[in-house]
Amino acid sequence: MTSRRKGRILAFQALYFWEASSQQNLERASLEELVSFAWLDDEKLNKLDNEIAVFSRLIITGTIENIQKIDTLISEHLENWDISRLNRVDLAILRISAYTLFFQKEIEPSIVIDEAIGISREYGADDSYKFINGVLDSIRKAAVSV
């Protein structure tokens, strides 16, 4: 597994944690908590490679700072579905991937989508990867035309 893949998984986990904390009537985790990886246990935190942490922080920070735009973008590409009905795993994957597609143009869109599909196969429901692929492909087409 590449360090970028590990960084994307870490960013996905942070966004999942961020969303889950707010939906459990807890105070939403702060950006500082997310990028310091305070939600990881000590063993995982001590093993965290610096390159992975830096890449993950970039995605986490960019996603949170642009969350309104990203959620609007995702909502525009959901067919007959409302963003509030998405499960937290799919939402976190879509958010980090939409951020990358729209704001990190130097990263090849096919890589972003392939990584999102891989993460959704590992962490999502059985057919999540199909849904993720469809939404991100639609966003990719929109991002190219901007």
Side-chain angles (χ1 to χ4, degrees):
M1 185 180 316
T2 68
S3 60
R4 290 231 167 177
R5 170 78 181 256
K6 289 177 184 176
R8 284 184 182 93
I9 290 171
L10 196 56
F12 146 71
Q13 291 171 335
L15 267 286
Y16 177 86
F17 174 76
W18 183 71
E19 185 65 25
S21 66
S22 73
Q23 289 190 356
Q24 294 173 356
N25 295 324
L26 302 172
E27 185 176 331
R28 184 171 256 171
S30 70
L31 181 57
E32 184 178 312
E33 287 176 291
L34 295 176
V35 298
S36 68
F37 307 108
W39 45 275
L40 284 176
D41 65 42
D42 289 339
E43 183 181 337
K44 288 181 182 175
L45 192 56
N46 291 333
K47 291 180 180 180
L48 185 59
D49 178 86
N50 189 50
E51 184 180 340
I52 294 168
V54 168
F55 182 67
S56 186
R57 283 184 184 110
L58 175 69
I59 296 171
I60 295 165
T61 302
T63 302
I64 299 294
E65 288 176 351
N66 294 287
I67 199 70
Q68 301 284 4
K69 291 178 188 173
I70 290 166
D71 283 356
T72 298
L73 182 65
I74 291 168
S75 293
E76 290 171 354
H77 296 276
L78 295 174
E79 293 184 19
N80 304 315
W81 203 256
D82 187 75
I83 196 166
S84 65
R85 294 184 58 212
L86 295 179
N87 72 53
R88 285 178 258 180
V89 170
D90 291 350
L91 181 58
I93 294 168
L94 285 171
R95 281 174 166 165
I96 66 165
S97 301
Y99 165 75
T100 304
L101 286 171
F102 219 73
F103 294 98
Q104 294 182 309
K105 302 277 188 181
E106 71 280 4
I107 299 176
E108 185 64 39
S110 62
I111 292 171
V112 176
I113 294 171
D114 287 347
E115 291 286 346
I117 291 169
I119 294 169
S120 67
R121 283 182 189 263
E122 187 172 344
Y123 294 95
D126 289 343
D127 285 343
S128 285
Y129 73 94
K130 294 176 186 176
F131 174 74
I132 298 285
N133 183 44
V135 174
L136 291 178
D137 190 51
S138 180
I139 291 172
R140 175 193 60 81
K141 289 174 184 169
V144 168
S145 64
V146 172

